[in-house]
């Protein structure tokens, strides 16, 4: 299946869910972060732009597509890639033409820079 399962990138996905309490909405983590290796992250040129927002001035809009074999989150997940934090735009799409070519396509939008969450390796988990 070409680059869909053998891509050069690694992303970390933090599944989140929405909790509502008396009309307030809060995003909370929904399980541990998941590292996805061998995926492909591609810029979407027509969506890389800047727009002016009255309260914040000029803000950059940078969107990308992530192609992976699996996807552990829904539309509320956060994605960490290349030193940046991204939010999911819309629902991740599962392309299930056949077992060999099945993959997920997720559009993500840049929020800012920040460190990724720590993912314990197998040795750390065995030591618990």
């Amino acid at each position: 299946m070409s680059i869909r399962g053998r891509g050069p990138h690694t992303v970390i996905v933090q599944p989140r869910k929405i909790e509502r309490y008396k009309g307030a909405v809060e995003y909370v983590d929904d399980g541990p972060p998941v590292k996805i290796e061998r995926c492909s992250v591609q810029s979407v040129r027509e969506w890389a732009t800047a727009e002016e927002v009255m309260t914040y001035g000029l803000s950059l809009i940078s969107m990308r597509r992530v192609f992976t074999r699996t996807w552990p989150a829904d539309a509320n997940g956060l994605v960490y890639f290349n030193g940046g934090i991204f939010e999911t735009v819309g629902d991740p799409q599962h392309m299930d033409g056949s077992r060999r070519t099945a993959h997920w396509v997720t559009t993500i939008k840049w929020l800012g820079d920040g460190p990724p969450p720590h993912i314990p390796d197998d040795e750390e988990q065995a030591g618990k």
Side-chain angles (χ1 to χ4, degrees):
M1 187 184 129
S2 73
I3 202 160
R4 301 298 183 243
R6 296 187 306 253
H9 303 116
T10 299
V11 297
I12 296 173
V13 180
Q14 175 61 63
R16 298 186 308 167
K17 63 182 177 181
I18 295 176
E19 286 190 355
R20 291 180 169 83
Y21 180 73
K22 293 187 177 180
V25 174
E26 182 179 3
Y27 290 96
V28 296
D29 292 347
D30 189 19
V34 178
K35 181 188 271 188
I36 300 177
E37 297 176 324
R38 299 179 58 120
C39 64
S40 178
V41 179
Q42 300 173 358
S43 292
V44 182
R45 184 175 178 164
E46 64 269 15
W47 288 342
T49 184
E51 70 178 19
E52 191 164 357
V53 180
M54 293 303 287
T55 55
Y56 302 117
L58 193 65
S59 65
L60 177 69
I61 296 176
S62 177
M63 299 180 88
R64 299 176 185 186
R65 287 192 185 121
V66 182
F67 296 90
T68 62
R69 287 285 195 171
T70 62
W71 193 256
D74 59 7
N76 299 314
L78 282 180
V79 179
Y80 296 86
F81 172 69
N82 233 11
I85 303 171
F86 295 80
E87 68 179 346
T88 305
V89 177
D91 283 333
Q93 301 172 4
H94 187 233
M95 309 300 181
D96 56 353
S98 73
R99 199 174 109 205
R100 187 177 71 81
T101 62
H103 62 280
W104 288 84
V105 179
T106 307
T107 304
I108 57 175
K109 179 176 143 187
W110 182 72
L111 294 176
D113 293 331
H118 175 70
I119 298 178
D121 57 7
D122 294 334
E123 293 175 8
E124 289 178 341
Q125 289 178 354
K128 286 186 178 179

mmCIF file of all heavy atoms in Angstrom, residues 35-85:
data_model
loop_
_atom_site.group_PDB
_atom_site.id
_atom_site.type_symbol
_atom_site.label_atom_id
_atom_site.label_comp_id
_atom_site.label_asym_id
_atom_site.label_seq_id
_atom_site.Cartn_x
_atom_site.Cartn_y
_atom_site.Cartn_z
ATOM 1 N N LYS A 35 1.548 6.731 20.224
ATOM 2 C CA LYS A 35 2.535 7.061 19.199
ATOM 3 C C LYS A 35 2.223 6.264 17.938
ATOM 4 O O LYS A 35 2.054 5.050 17.994
ATOM 5 C CB LYS A 35 3.944 6.720 19.679
ATOM 6 C CG LYS A 35 5.029 7.066 18.656
ATOM 7 C CD LYS A 35 6.380 6.546 19.090
ATOM 8 C CE LYS A 35 7.067 7.573 19.933
ATOM 9 N NZ LYS A 35 8.466 7.197 20.238
ATOM 10 N N ILE A 36 2.137 6.956 16.816
ATOM 11 C CA ILE A 36 1.888 6.305 15.535
ATOM 12 C C ILE A 36 3.114 6.548 14.657
ATOM 13 O O ILE A 36 3.398 7.691 14.286
ATOM 14 C CB ILE A 36 0.617 6.845 14.856
ATOM 15 C CG1 ILE A 36 -0.595 6.601 15.739
ATOM 16 C CG2 ILE A 36 0.432 6.198 13.491
ATOM 17 C CD1 ILE A 36 -1.878 7.148 15.189
ATOM 18 N N GLU A 37 3.810 5.477 14.369
ATOM 19 C CA GLU A 37 5.005 5.565 13.544
ATOM 20 C C GLU A 37 4.677 5.161 12.112
ATOM 21 O O GLU A 37 3.650 4.551 11.848
ATOM 22 C CB GLU A 37 6.099 4.667 14.109
ATOM 23 C CG GLU A 37 6.542 5.097 15.498
ATOM 24 C CD GLU A 37 7.547 4.166 16.111
ATOM 25 O OE1 GLU A 37 7.444 2.940 15.889
ATOM 26 O OE2 GLU A 37 8.428 4.662 16.819
ATOM 27 N N ARG A 38 5.570 5.505 11.209
ATOM 28 C CA ARG A 38 5.461 5.125 9.802
ATOM 29 C C ARG A 38 4.171 5.645 9.163
ATOM 30 O O ARG A 38 3.458 4.921 8.485
ATOM 31 C CB ARG A 38 5.580 3.620 9.645
ATOM 32 C CG ARG A 38 6.916 3.105 10.134
ATOM 33 C CD ARG A 38 7.009 1.620 10.001
ATOM 34 N NE ARG A 38 6.797 1.253 8.605
ATOM 35 C CZ ARG A 38 7.658 0.615 7.853
ATOM 36 N NH1 ARG A 38 8.802 0.262 8.345
ATOM 37 N NH2 ARG A 38 7.382 0.333 6.601
ATOM 38 N N CYS A 39 3.879 6.912 9.440
ATOM 39 C CA CYS A 39 2.720 7.544 8.809
ATOM 40 C C CYS A 39 3.219 8.638 7.869
ATOM 41 O O CYS A 39 4.420 8.904 7.800
ATOM 42 C CB CYS A 39 1.768 8.103 9.861
ATOM 43 S SG CYS A 39 2.451 9.427 10.855
ATOM 44 N N SER A 40 2.321 9.258 7.166
ATOM 45 C CA SER A 40 2.679 10.317 6.227
ATOM 46 C C SER A 40 1.887 11.574 6.569
ATOM 47 O O SER A 40 0.660 11.538 6.642
ATOM 48 C CB SER A 40 2.369 9.862 4.799
ATOM 49 O OG SER A 40 2.667 10.884 3.889
ATOM 50 N N VAL A 41 2.594 12.677 6.796
ATOM 51 C CA VAL A 41 1.965 13.967 7.072
ATOM 52 C C VAL A 41 2.261 14.875 5.889
ATOM 53 O O VAL A 41 3.419 15.104 5.556
ATOM 54 C CB VAL A 41 2.494 14.588 8.376
ATOM 55 C CG1 VAL A 41 1.842 15.933 8.641
ATOM 56 C CG2 VAL A 41 2.280 13.643 9.554
ATOM 57 N N GLN A 42 1.214 15.379 5.257
ATOM 58 C CA GLN A 42 1.381 16.199 4.063
ATOM 59 C C GLN A 42 0.693 17.537 4.245
ATOM 60 O O GLN A 42 -0.442 17.601 4.720
ATOM 61 C CB GLN A 42 0.792 15.482 2.848
ATOM 62 C CG GLN A 42 1.427 14.150 2.569
ATOM 63 C CD GLN A 42 0.726 13.385 1.471
ATOM 64 O OE1 GLN A 42 -0.276 13.830 0.926
ATOM 65 N NE2 GLN A 42 1.262 12.226 1.152
ATOM 66 N N SER A 43 1.378 18.600 3.842
ATOM 67 C CA SER A 43 0.771 19.931 3.886
ATOM 68 C C SER A 43 -0.327 20.033 2.848
ATOM 69 O O SER A 43 -0.240 19.442 1.783
ATOM 70 C CB SER A 43 1.819 21.006 3.611
ATOM 71 O OG SER A 43 2.734 21.065 4.661
ATOM 72 N N VAL A 44 -1.336 20.785 3.187
ATOM 73 C CA VAL A 44 -2.416 21.047 2.251
ATOM 74 C C VAL A 44 -2.232 22.484 1.809
ATOM 75 O O VAL A 44 -2.600 23.417 2.515
ATOM 76 C CB VAL A 44 -3.792 20.835 2.913
ATOM 77 C CG1 VAL A 44 -4.904 21.060 1.920
ATOM 78 C CG2 VAL A 44 -3.877 19.450 3.509
ATOM 79 N N ARG A 45 -1.626 22.658 0.657
ATOM 80 C CA ARG A 45 -1.199 23.980 0.225
ATOM 81 C C ARG A 45 -2.335 24.999 0.164
ATOM 82 O O ARG A 45 -2.191 26.134 0.576
ATOM 83 C CB ARG A 45 -0.511 23.885 -1.118
ATOM 84 C CG ARG A 45 0.032 25.205 -1.564
ATOM 85 C CD ARG A 45 0.812 25.085 -2.825
ATOM 86 N NE ARG A 45 1.255 26.423 -3.192
ATOM 87 C CZ ARG A 45 2.192 26.660 -4.044
ATOM 88 N NH1 ARG A 45 2.799 25.683 -4.636
ATOM 89 N NH2 ARG A 45 2.526 27.893 -4.328
ATOM 90 N N GLU A 46 -3.476 24.610 -0.351
ATOM 91 C CA GLU A 46 -4.556 25.588 -0.490
ATOM 92 C C GLU A 46 -5.146 26.014 0.854
ATOM 93 O O GLU A 46 -5.898 26.963 0.922
ATOM 94 C CB GLU A 46 -5.662 25.062 -1.414
ATOM 95 C CG GLU A 46 -6.377 23.835 -0.898
ATOM 96 C CD GLU A 46 -5.751 22.530 -1.360
ATOM 97 O OE1 GLU A 46 -4.627 22.534 -1.840
ATOM 98 O OE2 GLU A 46 -6.411 21.485 -1.225
ATOM 99 N N TRP A 47 -4.799 25.302 1.933
ATOM 100 C CA TRP A 47 -5.299 25.684 3.254
ATOM 101 C C TRP A 47 -4.246 26.382 4.096
ATOM 102 O O TRP A 47 -4.508 26.763 5.216
ATOM 103 C CB TRP A 47 -5.819 24.471 4.003
ATOM 104 C CG TRP A 47 -7.104 23.948 3.470
ATOM 105 C CD1 TRP A 47 -7.999 24.592 2.663
ATOM 106 C CD2 TRP A 47 -7.642 22.653 3.688
ATOM 107 N NE1 TRP A 47 -9.052 23.785 2.372
ATOM 108 C CE2 TRP A 47 -8.862 22.581 2.993
ATOM 109 C CE3 TRP A 47 -7.231 21.543 4.402
ATOM 110 C CZ2 TRP A 47 -9.661 21.453 2.999
ATOM 111 C CZ3 TRP A 47 -8.024 20.424 4.402
ATOM 112 C CH2 TRP A 47 -9.221 20.387 3.711
ATOM 113 N N ALA A 48 -3.035 26.518 3.604
ATOM 114 C CA ALA A 48 -1.991 27.206 4.355
ATOM 115 C C ALA A 48 -2.097 28.690 4.029
ATOM 116 O O ALA A 48 -1.740 29.132 2.953
ATOM 117 C CB ALA A 48 -0.617 26.665 3.988
ATOM 118 N N THR A 49 -2.615 29.453 4.939
ATOM 119 C CA THR A 49 -2.896 30.860 4.673
ATOM 120 C C THR A 49 -2.841 31.630 5.986
ATOM 121 O O THR A 49 -2.551 31.072 7.030
ATOM 122 C CB THR A 49 -4.280 30.999 3.994
ATOM 123 O OG1 THR A 49 -4.474 32.372 3.668
ATOM 124 C CG2 THR A 49 -5.400 30.527 4.885
ATOM 125 N N ALA A 50 -3.107 32.872 5.934
ATOM 126 C CA ALA A 50 -3.210 33.705 7.126
ATOM 127 C C ALA A 50 -4.508 34.474 7.040
ATOM 128 O O ALA A 50 -4.959 34.845 5.962
ATOM 129 C CB ALA A 50 -2.028 34.659 7.224
ATOM 130 N N GLU A 51 -5.116 34.675 8.179
ATOM 131 C CA GLU A 51 -6.339 35.478 8.194
ATOM 132 C C GLU A 51 -6.274 36.424 9.375
ATOM 133 O O GLU A 51 -5.616 36.152 10.376
ATOM 134 C CB GLU A 51 -7.582 34.603 8.259
ATOM 135 C CG GLU A 51 -7.797 33.898 9.558
ATOM 136 C CD GLU A 51 -9.076 33.077 9.556
ATOM 137 O OE1 GLU A 51 -9.612 32.768 8.489
ATOM 138 O OE2 GLU A 51 -9.518 32.758 10.668
ATOM 139 N N GLU A 52 -6.953 37.532 9.233
ATOM 140 C CA GLU A 52 -6.942 38.520 10.291
ATOM 141 C C GLU A 52 -8.185 38.370 11.147
ATOM 142 O O GLU A 52 -9.308 38.387 10.644
ATOM 143 C CB GLU A 52 -6.861 39.927 9.713
ATOM 144 C CG GLU A 52 -6.592 40.961 10.774
ATOM 145 C CD GLU A 52 -6.129 42.282 10.185
ATOM 146 O OE1 GLU A 52 -5.973 42.368 8.973
ATOM 147 O OE2 GLU A 52 -5.940 43.212 10.974
ATOM 148 N N VAL A 53 -7.963 38.195 12.436
ATOM 149 C CA VAL A 53 -9.039 38.091 13.403
ATOM 150 C C VAL A 53 -8.992 39.372 14.232
ATOM 151 O O VAL A 53 -7.928 39.786 14.683
ATOM 152 C CB VAL A 53 -8.851 36.842 14.298
ATOM 153 C CG1 VAL A 53 -9.974 36.730 15.293
ATOM 154 C CG2 VAL A 53 -8.756 35.594 13.443
ATOM 155 N N MET A 54 -10.120 39.991 14.417
ATOM 156 C CA MET A 54 -10.147 41.301 15.065
ATOM 157 C C MET A 54 -9.500 41.310 16.444
ATOM 158 O O MET A 54 -8.818 42.253 16.801
ATOM 159 C CB MET A 54 -11.588 41.800 15.170
ATOM 160 C CG MET A 54 -12.223 42.100 13.821
ATOM 161 S SD MET A 54 -11.309 43.309 12.858
ATOM 162 C CE MET A 54 -11.689 44.782 13.755
ATOM 163 N N THR A 55 -9.691 40.263 17.226
ATOM 164 C CA THR A 55 -9.159 40.284 18.586
ATOM 165 C C THR A 55 -7.704 39.872 18.679
ATOM 166 O O THR A 55 -7.007 40.259 19.601
ATOM 167 C CB THR A 55 -9.986 39.359 19.494
ATOM 168 O OG1 THR A 55 -10.017 38.062 18.898
ATOM 169 C CG2 THR A 55 -11.387 39.876 19.655
ATOM 170 N N TYR A 56 -7.218 39.085 17.717
ATOM 171 C CA TYR A 56 -5.851 38.559 17.821
ATOM 172 C C TYR A 56 -4.901 39.109 16.767
ATOM 173 O O TYR A 56 -3.731 38.784 16.769
ATOM 174 C CB TYR A 56 -5.865 37.032 17.697
ATOM 175 C CG TYR A 56 -6.719 36.360 18.728
ATOM 176 C CD1 TYR A 56 -7.835 35.626 18.368
ATOM 177 C CD2 TYR A 56 -6.411 36.468 20.080
ATOM 178 C CE1 TYR A 56 -8.620 35.008 19.316
ATOM 179 C CE2 TYR A 56 -7.192 35.865 21.033
ATOM 180 C CZ TYR A 56 -8.294 35.134 20.648
ATOM 181 O OH TYR A 56 -9.072 34.533 21.590
ATOM 182 N N GLY A 57 -5.358 39.882 15.829
ATOM 183 C CA GLY A 57 -4.514 40.354 14.745
ATOM 184 C C GLY A 57 -4.388 39.282 13.676
ATOM 185 O O GLY A 57 -5.303 38.513 13.422
ATOM 186 N N LEU A 58 -3.225 39.201 13.070
ATOM 187 C CA LEU A 58 -2.989 38.248 11.999
ATOM 188 C C LEU A 58 -2.637 36.885 12.597
ATOM 189 O O LEU A 58 -1.737 36.770 13.419
ATOM 190 C CB LEU A 58 -1.836 38.738 11.115
ATOM 191 C CG LEU A 58 -1.649 38.028 9.796
ATOM 192 C CD1 LEU A 58 -2.857 38.264 8.901
ATOM 193 C CD2 LEU A 58 -0.391 38.513 9.121
ATOM 194 N N SER A 59 -3.359 35.850 12.210
ATOM 195 C CA SER A 59 -3.055 34.506 12.717
ATOM 196 C C SER A 59 -2.876 33.549 11.547
ATOM 197 O O SER A 59 -3.569 33.637 10.541
ATOM 198 C CB SER A 59 -4.149 34.008 13.661
ATOM 199 O OG SER A 59 -5.344 33.848 12.963
ATOM 200 N N LEU A 60 -1.930 32.648 11.704
ATOM 201 C CA LEU A 60 -1.580 31.693 10.667
ATOM 202 C C LEU A 60 -2.518 30.503 10.712
ATOM 203 O O LEU A 60 -2.828 29.987 11.782
ATOM 204 C CB LEU A 60 -0.139 31.224 10.884
ATOM 205 C CG LEU A 60 0.387 30.163 9.931
ATOM 206 C CD1 LEU A 60 0.553 30.766 8.547
ATOM 207 C CD2 LEU A 60 1.699 29.631 10.445
ATOM 208 N N ILE A 61 -2.979 30.088 9.553
ATOM 209 C CA ILE A 61 -3.776 28.870 9.459
ATOM 210 C C ILE A 61 -2.945 27.877 8.654
ATOM 211 O O ILE A 61 -2.693 28.096 7.473
ATOM 212 C CB ILE A 61 -5.122 29.106 8.773
ATOM 213 C CG1 ILE A 61 -5.956 30.053 9.604
ATOM 214 C CG2 ILE A 61 -5.845 27.793 8.553
ATOM 215 C CD1 ILE A 61 -7.261 30.415 8.972
ATOM 216 N N SER A 62 -2.489 26.840 9.303
ATOM 217 C CA SER A 62 -1.690 25.813 8.644
ATOM 218 C C SER A 62 -2.375 24.476 8.858
ATOM 219 O O SER A 62 -2.525 24.029 9.988
ATOM 220 C CB SER A 62 -0.276 25.794 9.227
ATOM 221 O OG SER A 62 0.476 24.760 8.642
ATOM 222 N N MET A 63 -2.801 23.861 7.761
ATOM 223 C CA MET A 63 -3.498 22.588 7.862
ATOM 224 C C MET A 63 -2.714 21.512 7.128
ATOM 225 O O MET A 63 -2.053 21.781 6.133
ATOM 226 C CB MET A 63 -4.909 22.716 7.307
ATOM 227 C CG MET A 63 -5.718 23.726 8.086
ATOM 228 S SD MET A 63 -7.366 23.922 7.471
ATOM 229 C CE MET A 63 -8.195 22.678 8.383
ATOM 230 N N ARG A 64 -2.802 20.301 7.666
ATOM 231 C CA ARG A 64 -2.120 19.160 7.073
ATOM 232 C C ARG A 64 -3.028 17.948 7.102
ATOM 233 O O ARG A 64 -4.005 17.918 7.840
ATOM 234 C CB ARG A 64 -0.843 18.865 7.855
ATOM 235 C CG ARG A 64 0.104 20.039 7.816
ATOM 236 C CD ARG A 64 1.313 19.825 8.634
ATOM 237 N NE ARG A 64 2.078 21.068 8.612
ATOM 238 C CZ ARG A 64 3.251 21.202 9.136
ATOM 239 N NH1 ARG A 64 3.819 20.199 9.734
ATOM 240 N NH2 ARG A 64 3.874 22.355 9.066
ATOM 241 N N ARG A 65 -2.667 16.961 6.320
ATOM 242 C CA ARG A 65 -3.384 15.685 6.329
ATOM 243 C C ARG A 65 -2.436 14.613 6.826
ATOM 244 O O ARG A 65 -1.273 14.565 6.435
ATOM 245 C CB ARG A 65 -3.880 15.325 4.931
ATOM 246 C CG ARG A 65 -5.035 16.154 4.489
ATOM 247 C CD ARG A 65 -5.662 15.570 3.239
ATOM 248 N NE ARG A 65 -6.702 16.462 2.762
ATOM 249 C CZ ARG A 65 -6.706 17.013 1.561
ATOM 250 N NH1 ARG A 65 -5.760 16.744 0.700
ATOM 251 N NH2 ARG A 65 -7.673 17.817 1.205
ATOM 252 N N VAL A 66 -2.955 13.746 7.683
ATOM 253 C CA VAL A 66 -2.181 12.629 8.220
ATOM 254 C C VAL A 66 -2.773 11.349 7.645
ATOM 255 O O VAL A 66 -3.968 11.092 7.786
ATOM 256 C CB VAL A 66 -2.246 12.599 9.764
ATOM 257 C CG1 VAL A 66 -1.407 11.470 10.304
ATOM 258 C CG2 VAL A 66 -1.806 13.930 10.349
ATOM 259 N N PHE A 67 -1.919 10.537 7.014
ATOM 260 C CA PHE A 67 -2.327 9.252 6.447
ATOM 261 C C PHE A 67 -1.718 8.154 7.307
ATOM 262 O O PHE A 67 -0.491 8.080 7.436
ATOM 263 C CB PHE A 67 -1.820 9.105 5.006
ATOM 264 C CG PHE A 67 -2.410 10.119 4.072
ATOM 265 C CD1 PHE A 67 -1.806 11.349 3.870
ATOM 266 C CD2 PHE A 67 -3.575 9.828 3.376
ATOM 267 C CE1 PHE A 67 -2.347 12.276 2.999
ATOM 268 C CE2 PHE A 67 -4.123 10.754 2.501
ATOM 269 C CZ PHE A 67 -3.506 11.984 2.317
ATOM 270 N N THR A 68 -2.569 7.319 7.926
ATOM 271 C CA THR A 68 -2.097 6.257 8.816
ATOM 272 C C THR A 68 -2.899 4.985 8.584
ATOM 273 O O THR A 68 -3.976 5.010 8.000
ATOM 274 C CB THR A 68 -2.266 6.655 10.294
ATOM 275 O OG1 THR A 68 -3.656 6.858 10.569
ATOM 276 C CG2 THR A 68 -1.499 7.904 10.641
ATOM 277 N N ARG A 69 -2.362 3.887 9.108
ATOM 278 C CA ARG A 69 -3.089 2.620 9.055
ATOM 279 C C ARG A 69 -4.177 2.560 10.125
ATOM 280 O O ARG A 69 -5.214 1.950 9.934
ATOM 281 C CB ARG A 69 -2.127 1.447 9.272
ATOM 282 C CG ARG A 69 -1.247 1.171 8.116
ATOM 283 C CD ARG A 69 -2.036 0.494 7.049
ATOM 284 N NE ARG A 69 -1.137 -0.084 6.073
ATOM 285 C CZ ARG A 69 -1.521 -0.870 5.127
ATOM 286 N NH1 ARG A 69 -2.772 -1.189 5.010
ATOM 287 N NH2 ARG A 69 -0.672 -1.337 4.271
ATOM 288 N N THR A 70 -3.915 3.157 11.283
ATOM 289 C CA THR A 70 -4.879 3.172 12.385
ATOM 290 C C THR A 70 -5.015 4.606 12.896
ATOM 291 O O THR A 70 -4.129 5.434 12.691
ATOM 292 C CB THR A 70 -4.423 2.278 13.556
ATOM 293 O OG1 THR A 70 -3.182 2.790 14.069
ATOM 294 C CG2 THR A 70 -4.236 0.841 13.114
ATOM 295 N N TRP A 71 -6.116 4.873 13.588
ATOM 296 C CA TRP A 71 -6.306 6.188 14.214
ATOM 297 C C TRP A 71 -7.038 5.988 15.533
ATOM 298 O O TRP A 71 -8.167 5.508 15.558
ATOM 299 C CB TRP A 71 -7.087 7.119 13.297
ATOM 300 C CG TRP A 71 -7.010 8.528 13.779
ATOM 301 C CD1 TRP A 71 -7.984 9.222 14.428
ATOM 302 C CD2 TRP A 71 -5.891 9.405 13.685
ATOM 303 N NE1 TRP A 71 -7.542 10.479 14.737
ATOM 304 C CE2 TRP A 71 -6.253 10.618 14.292
ATOM 305 C CE3 TRP A 71 -4.606 9.284 13.161
ATOM 306 C CZ2 TRP A 71 -5.386 11.706 14.372
ATOM 307 C CZ3 TRP A 71 -3.753 10.369 13.239
ATOM 308 C CH2 TRP A 71 -4.143 11.556 13.836
ATOM 309 N N PRO A 72 -6.423 6.371 16.669
ATOM 310 C CA PRO A 72 -6.987 6.062 17.981
ATOM 311 C C PRO A 72 -7.956 7.087 18.554
ATOM 312 O O PRO A 72 -8.453 6.901 19.655
ATOM 313 C CB PRO A 72 -5.733 5.977 18.855
ATOM 314 C CG PRO A 72 -4.810 6.976 18.238
ATOM 315 C CD PRO A 72 -5.066 6.898 16.755
ATOM 316 N N ALA A 73 -8.211 8.168 17.855
ATOM 317 C CA ALA A 73 -9.019 9.247 18.438
ATOM 318 C C ALA A 73 -10.169 9.620 17.503
ATOM 319 O O ALA A 73 -10.251 9.158 16.378
ATOM 320 C CB ALA A 73 -8.144 10.471 18.702
ATOM 321 N N ASP A 74 -11.040 10.492 18.019
ATOM 322 C CA ASP A 74 -12.124 11.009 17.195
ATOM 323 C C ASP A 74 -11.829 12.474 16.854
ATOM 324 O O ASP A 74 -10.679 12.899 16.888
ATOM 325 C CB ASP A 74 -13.467 10.832 17.899
ATOM 326 C CG ASP A 74 -13.536 11.536 19.246
ATOM 327 O OD1 ASP A 74 -12.589 12.274 19.594
ATOM 328 O OD2 ASP A 74 -14.529 11.359 19.957
ATOM 329 N N ALA A 75 -12.834 13.237 16.589
ATOM 330 C CA ALA A 75 -12.657 14.629 16.184
ATOM 331 C C ALA A 75 -12.153 15.529 17.309
ATOM 332 O O ALA A 75 -11.780 16.670 17.060
ATOM 333 C CB ALA A 75 -13.978 15.180 15.649
ATOM 334 N N ASN A 76 -12.106 15.033 18.544
ATOM 335 C CA ASN A 76 -11.665 15.849 19.670
ATOM 336 C C ASN A 76 -10.187 15.680 19.996
ATOM 337 O O ASN A 76 -9.673 16.340 20.890
ATOM 338 C CB ASN A 76 -12.487 15.506 20.918
ATOM 339 C CG ASN A 76 -13.949 15.781 20.704
ATOM 340 O OD1 ASN A 76 -14.311 16.836 20.189
ATOM 341 N ND2 ASN A 76 -14.795 14.843 21.069
ATOM 342 N N GLY A 77 -9.492 14.793 19.308
ATOM 343 C CA GLY A 77 -8.109 14.479 19.642
ATOM 344 C C GLY A 77 -7.128 15.593 19.309
ATOM 345 O O GLY A 77 -7.372 16.448 18.460
ATOM 346 N N LEU A 78 -6.004 15.568 20.018
ATOM 347 C CA LEU A 78 -4.877 16.463 19.736
ATOM 348 C C LEU A 78 -3.785 15.650 19.069
ATOM 349 O O LEU A 78 -3.585 14.471 19.387
ATOM 350 C CB LEU A 78 -4.321 17.072 21.022
ATOM 351 C CG LEU A 78 -5.085 18.215 21.655
ATOM 352 C CD1 LEU A 78 -4.361 18.690 22.921
ATOM 353 C CD2 LEU A 78 -5.246 19.373 20.695
ATOM 354 N N VAL A 79 -3.032 16.290 18.175
ATOM 355 C CA VAL A 79 -1.941 15.624 17.476
ATOM 356 C C VAL A 79 -0.670 16.432 17.701
ATOM 357 O O VAL A 79 -0.671 17.663 17.563
ATOM 358 C CB VAL A 79 -2.239 15.507 15.962
ATOM 359 C CG1 VAL A 79 -1.089 14.846 15.234
ATOM 360 C CG2 VAL A 79 -3.529 14.743 15.735
ATOM 361 N N TYR A 80 0.407 15.747 18.066
ATOM 362 C CA TYR A 80 1.709 16.372 18.255
ATOM 363 C C TYR A 80 2.612 15.907 17.120
ATOM 364 O O TYR A 80 2.799 14.712 16.917
ATOM 365 C CB TYR A 80 2.308 15.969 19.599
ATOM 366 C CG TYR A 80 1.490 16.450 20.767
ATOM 367 C CD1 TYR A 80 0.426 15.702 21.246
ATOM 368 C CD2 TYR A 80 1.770 17.662 21.382
ATOM 369 C CE1 TYR A 80 -0.340 16.140 22.312
ATOM 370 C CE2 TYR A 80 1.007 18.105 22.446
ATOM 371 C CZ TYR A 80 -0.037 17.344 22.911
ATOM 372 O OH TYR A 80 -0.797 17.786 23.955
ATOM 373 N N PHE A 81 3.163 16.878 16.369
ATOM 374 C CA PHE A 81 4.012 16.548 15.235
ATOM 375 C C PHE A 81 5.051 17.632 15.022
ATOM 376 O O PHE A 81 4.714 18.812 14.957
ATOM 377 C CB PHE A 81 3.150 16.381 13.969
ATOM 378 C CG PHE A 81 3.950 16.225 12.710
ATOM 379 C CD1 PHE A 81 4.696 15.089 12.483
ATOM 380 C CD2 PHE A 81 3.974 17.226 11.757
ATOM 381 C CE1 PHE A 81 5.450 14.950 11.336
ATOM 382 C CE2 PHE A 81 4.716 17.098 10.603
ATOM 383 C CZ PHE A 81 5.455 15.955 10.394
ATOM 384 N N ASN A 82 6.289 17.248 14.958
ATOM 385 C CA ASN A 82 7.380 18.154 14.591
ATOM 386 C C ASN A 82 7.444 19.399 15.476
ATOM 387 O O ASN A 82 7.643 20.502 14.983
ATOM 388 C CB ASN A 82 7.215 18.561 13.132
ATOM 389 C CG ASN A 82 8.456 18.320 12.331
ATOM 390 O OD1 ASN A 82 9.378 17.661 12.791
ATOM 391 N ND2 ASN A 82 8.472 18.821 11.118
ATOM 392 N N GLY A 83 7.227 19.244 16.773
ATOM 393 C CA GLY A 83 7.284 20.369 17.695
ATOM 394 C C GLY A 83 6.028 21.206 17.762
ATOM 395 O O GLY A 83 5.988 22.207 18.474
ATOM 396 N N GLY A 84 4.988 20.829 17.035
ATOM 397 C CA GLY A 84 3.754 21.589 17.028
ATOM 398 C C GLY A 84 2.595 20.805 17.611
ATOM 399 O O GLY A 84 2.622 19.575 17.674
ATOM 400 N N ILE A 85 1.589 21.536 18.042
ATOM 401 C CA ILE A 85 0.355 20.938 18.550
ATOM 402 C C ILE A 85 -0.733 21.240 17.530
ATOM 403 O O ILE A 85 -0.894 22.394 17.103
ATOM 404 C CB ILE A 85 -0.029 21.520 19.919
ATOM 405 C CG1 ILE A 85 1.103 21.329 20.917
ATOM 406 C CG2 ILE A 85 -1.319 20.891 20.425
ATOM 407 C CD1 ILE A 85 0.902 22.051 22.226
#
